[in-house]
Amino acid sequence: MKFKSQINQVIKDAFIKANIEHEAMSVSEATKSEFGDFQFNGAMALSKKLGKNPREIATEILNNLDFTGPLAKAEIAGPGFINLWLNPLWIASQCEVAAKDSRLGVGKRETPIKVVVDYSGPNMAKQMHVGHLRSTIIGDTLANLLTFLGDDVIRQNHIGDWGTQFGMLIAYLEETGSDGSSCLKDLEQFYKDAKKRFDEDENFANKAREYVVKIQSGDMHCLNLWQKFIDISLGHCEDVYGKLCVKLTRDDVKAESFYNEDLPQVIEDLIKQNLLKESDGAQCVFLEGEKIPVIVQKSGGGYLYATTDLAALRYRANVLGAKRISYIVDARQAGHFKQVFKVAKESDFVAEDVTLEHVAFGMMMDKSGRPFKTRDGGTVKLTDLLDEAVVKAKAAIKDKENYSQEEIEDLAQIIGIGAVKYADLSINRESNYIFSWDKMLSFEGNTSLYMQYAYARIQSIFRRFDGEIKGDIIIGDALEHRLSVMLLRFEDILNQAAVNAAPNQITTYLYELVTLFMRFYEQNPMLKEGVDEQTKMSRLQLADLTAKTIKQGLDILGIEVVNKL
Ligand code: ARG
């Protein structure tokens, strides 16, 4: 059973023994360690309902508490709080179980659900830029997390591969001839050049328009050009995914074009449900309480972003069988998703019991609080940003003489990419955040380097120890007590982060854990002369479990650890 649930169970049992009617109530973490490990505030809430003094209720609960399990001590404080202290022997035994388990004691869901995580979704007409970073790594983290907890996760990369701009791009690809693919090395430039041709040359523009129609009507020549273009562009994305250690593959791609054939049916079905109204020649769904209708078909017959998303929604719910569908998309699309979700439910495209969520995130800003741009005001290409991270990480490596050239390259990769990802994931995702190289590449503070450094330190202890760990964990002082309790919280934290789709709850936890560990490491020596065998073995086990927890936590965030730093 999960850590906190076990404490809640003790409280629940006391309520039953005391014969007090109650609803499910939870303990909370103590605000200060002097007040114990947990606190139960339920007596206050109950006092009105029961017409009793809260201290009286608290006393009754306290008198019925079981002290043979997790709890060692309880005290009533203030108007009727109950402060709870855990039994060090119980904590130690739980940590031992976690240390021996490859999942660190984290249970798998009893009833896994099928979850679609829609993330990254770059536009194939352009190069991936910093705006795609957040969706890509928040989504990947959520997918990793849910997979670890035992859900059946389906990653979906809803790439933008359809629309009028592709007419222009393939016309230009054809014009540049066989070496088109080499021009496509820089998609951004290719797009600009194509656009220039489009704006300058009427013949070219007409051809581009003609090609749009041709792709849509299945003309083989144009479709082949289009396929070639998409392949190359997707290849660029895959380079970025590789650099980012993100698990998206080609199998996860379900492009916008995949839903094309279903779009007329979407319209048909909405008509059958009596949900469509014509407005200025366009087909619209007017939703109650919404000022702006959802346009699903333009007056010329063309479909829209929303139409494709409706088709994707019903595919995911009905064909893939998802019970939770999470969209990791920029907060600026909140209106779109709110509306599309409503239409999907009202039209019965998606059953009532399917959870649809827009996991929104804010923007990446520069130091002066403006949207992140290159010096000349262009969008920052993601590849360039990641390459720069690796260069900067190389400079941050201390004592370079201890490493071979190859080791430095590998280290810089892991540290640099980890820093960019961690900095992003550690922010409350809904806020905008300021991108700062200095802050993210610091060995101090809530950074990946701090976590990687702590991990490497523990590995260096074990390189020096080089023996077999045996014996029990014995909680010797208040610091070891706190560290152990922190280690036991891991499972609860992961579950909470999964519910809230909040990677920063994991990073905040890791930061607290590592901060406690660093204090423990300084104050409680392990391998020093004079430390008795039992204490040494116990401390080594705590260090080992800490390292494993850091590694597992970072792994979920898609960040690697290193053994030496
Ligand atoms: N291509 C979109 C964009 O760049 C993101 C796609 C998000 N997913 C979706 N199903 N709409 O804004």
Side-chain angles (χ1 to χ4, degrees):
M1 206 194 322
K2 286 173 198 140
F3 180 49
K4 210 169 178 179
S5 319
Q6 302 193 59
I7 323 297
N8 287 333
Q9 190 60 48
V10 180
I11 302 281
K12 198 173 161 192
D13 292 343
F15 268 107
I16 294 170
K17 265 174 78 187
N19 222 340
I20 304 176
E21 283 255 1
H22 72 290
E23 282 153 36
M25 280 182 281
S26 175
V27 295
S28 45
E29 273 81 29
T31 46
K32 276 190 187 155
S33 52
E34 300 96 277
F35 301 152
D37 299 299
F38 287 101
Q39 195 174 326
F40 181 69
N41 303 336
M44 256 82 75
L46 272 175
S47 100
K48 254 218 186 111
K49 229 175 112 197
L50 302 177
K52 272 190 193 170
N53 174 323
R55 273 190 86 97
E56 221 175 288
I57 302 171
T59 311
E60 271 181 68
I61 298 166
L62 190 137
N63 289 339
N64 285 287
L65 279 176
D66 175 17
F67 290 104
T68 64
L71 293 188
K73 190 175 99 174
E75 264 173 20
I76 297 175
F81 304 111
I82 308 179
N83 291 337
L84 303 163
W85 281 261
L86 299 181
N87 183 344
L89 289 173
W90 181 82
I91 298 172
S93 71
Q94 299 284 304
C95 284
E96 283 168 13
V97 172
K100 287 193 184 86
D101 177 17
S102 63
R103 297 181 52 81
L104 311 177
V106 179
K108 273 202 170 186
R109 289 206 207 292
E110 276 161 27
T111 43
I113 58 166
K114 217 172 235 183
V115 188
V116 162
V117 184
D118 176 317
Y119 68 106
S120 198
N123 179 351
M124 291 297 110
K126 300 205 174 155
Q127 203 118 346
M128 278 180 92
H129 55 83
V130 294
H132 295 109
L133 177 68
R134 306 208 70 192
S135 171
T136 305
I137 64 182
I138 295 170
D140 204 54
T141 296
L142 183 62
N144 293 342
L145 174 60
L146 296 177
T147 304
F148 183 66
L149 293 177
D151 279 335
D152 182 2
V153 175
I154 306 173
R155 298 167 196 250
Q156 293 280 276
N157 193 356
H158 192 82
I159 62 170
D161 66 342
W162 208 245
T164 48
Q165 74 256 63
F166 291 99
M168 171 183 97
L169 291 167
I170 62 168
Y172 190 59
L173 182 64
E174 187 181 46
E175 193 173 271
T176 48
S178 55
D179 64 343
S181 43
S182 67
C183 306
L184 277 172
K185 277 213 171 66
D186 188 338
L187 255 188
E188 220 56 39
Q189 195 54 46
F190 187 86
Y191 187 94
K192 273 188 201 146
D193 296 343
K195 182 83 173 60
K196 196 158 166 249
R197 289 281 293 123
F198 186 88
D199 292 338
E200 281 172 4
D201 183 341
E202 190 54 33
N203 284 335
F204 180 83
N206 284 334
K207 187 165 194 184
R209 288 189 202 102
E210 184 190 316
Y211 274 20
V212 176
V213 180
K214 280 192 167 176
I215 311 177
Q216 281 168 352
S217 57
D219 173 275
M220 272 334 259
H221 174 66
C222 287
L223 272 181
N224 282 337
L225 281 170
W226 169 77
Q227 193 59 56
K228 183 173 170 192
F229 182 90
I230 299 298
D231 276 344
I232 296 169
S233 182
L234 198 51
H236 288 316
C237 297
E238 282 165 344
D239 289 345
V240 172
Y241 297 151
K243 278 186 191 171
L244 272 175
C245 296
V246 155
K247 294 193 184 71
L248 280 173
T249 69
R250 230 163 243 233
D251 291 341
D252 303 317
V253 172
K254 275 280 173 330
E256 288 186 2
S257 62
F258 173 80
Y259 302 101
N260 269 338
E261 277 176 28
D262 192 34
L263 300 184
Q265 195 61 46
V266 166
I267 305 294
E268 287 268 305
D269 292 340
L270 290 173
I271 291 172
K272 271 192 212 137
Q273 305 256 10
N274 250 334
L275 284 167
L276 282 195
K277 262 205 193 111
E278 204 182 298
S279 166
D280 288 333
Q283 295 296 330
C284 305
V285 184
F286 288 86
L287 291 163
E288 226 182 78
E290 300 273 333
K291 286 197 195 91
I292 313 163
V294 188
I295 307 174
V296 289
Q297 191 169 26
K298 291 190 268 194
S299 57
Y303 303 104
L304 295 100
Y305 185 50
T307 329
T308 307
D309 259 329
L310 284 171
L313 266 165
R314 68 175 182 181
Y315 174 79
R316 291 163 180 185
N318 307 333
V319 181
L320 299 179
K323 286 282 172 248
R324 174 179 178 183
I325 310 178
S326 302
Y327 290 80
I328 324 302
V329 187
D330 193 314
R332 286 170 293 186
Q333 293 192 29
H336 164 76
F337 284 109
K338 190 171 158 224
Q339 289 197 321
V340 166
F341 292 168
K342 259 197 191 167
V343 177
K345 292 257 161 132
E346 271 184 37
S347 59
D348 289 331
F349 281 10
V350 172
E352 215 32 69
D353 67 340
V354 178
T355 306
L356 304 178
E357 61 177 351
H358 174 209
V359 176
F361 55 82
M363 277 196 291
M364 194 156 129
M365 310 295 230
D366 65 13
K367 269 198 201 119
S368 42
R370 284 189 289 262
F372 203 78
K373 291 268 162 70
T374 55
R375 239 176 243 140
D376 52 15
T379 45
V380 178
K381 287 182 204 155
L382 202 40
T383 341
D384 295 346
L385 182 94
L386 297 177
D387 291 344
E388 190 173 349
V390 176
V391 171
K392 290 220 156 58
K394 218 176 277 179
I397 297 172
K398 295 177 189 161
D399 309 324
K400 289 203 184 52
E401 59 280 7
N402 291 338
Y403 304 95
S404 70
Q405 196 49 41
E406 207 186 322
E407 280 176 318
I408 291 184
E409 297 297 328
D410 289 349
L411 254 184
Q413 198 73 32
I414 294 176
I415 294 174
I417 301 298
V420 171
K421 292 176 85 170
Y422 193 97
D424 192 309
L425 294 168
S426 62
I427 305 295
N428 174 351
R429 63 174 159 74
E430 277 166 284
S431 336
N432 292 340
Y433 86 100
I434 309 266
F435 188 91
S436 155
W437 287 117
D438 295 342
K439 229 163 96 189
M440 73 176 72
L441 279 166
S442 164
F443 279 89
E444 300 291 327
N446 190 9
T447 64
S448 55
L449 252 181
Y450 185 56
M451 314 300 148
Q452 287 164 331
Y453 181 61
Y455 180 84
R457 275 205 157 173
I458 300 174
Q459 299 317 304
S460 97
I461 298 171
F462 282 100
R463 275 196 297 276
R464 276 182 289 143
F465 167 62
D466 196 28
E468 193 202 336
I469 304 185
K470 40 186 189 287
D472 301 325
I473 293 179
I474 301 150
I475 311 253
D477 62 17
L479 199 49
E480 292 183 0
H481 184 106
R482 286 181 64 195
L483 177 62
S484 310
V485 169
M486 189 60 88
L487 286 164
L488 293 179
R489 288 181 60 201
F490 189 48
E491 179 176 28
D492 286 336
I493 297 291
L494 293 185
N495 278 286
Q496 187 194 324
V499 170
N500 300 326
N504 70 315
Q505 293 179 342
I506 302 177
T507 56
T508 301
Y509 168 77
L510 287 177
Y511 183 49
E512 287 176 30
L513 172 68
V514 170
T515 306
L516 266 180
F517 174 79
M518 286 305 203
R519 282 178 52 200
F520 159 84
Y521 175 82
E522 272 154 33
Q523 290 175 31
N524 300 11
M526 284 166 244
L527 302 183
K528 216 167 151 184
E529 199 77 36
V531 179
D532 69 81
E533 194 61 16
Q534 220 182 23
T535 306
K536 170 171 132 185
M537 286 299 177
S538 169
R539 288 178 182 168
L540 282 171
Q541 286 180 71
L542 287 178
D544 178 49
L545 182 56
T546 303
K548 287 175 175 158
T549 307
I550 297 172
K551 183 168 189 231
Q552 183 60 63
L554 289 181
D555 187 58
I556 288 171
L557 302 173
I559 297 173
E560 289 178 68
V561 288
V562 290
N563 290 323
K564 233 169 82 185
L565 193 64

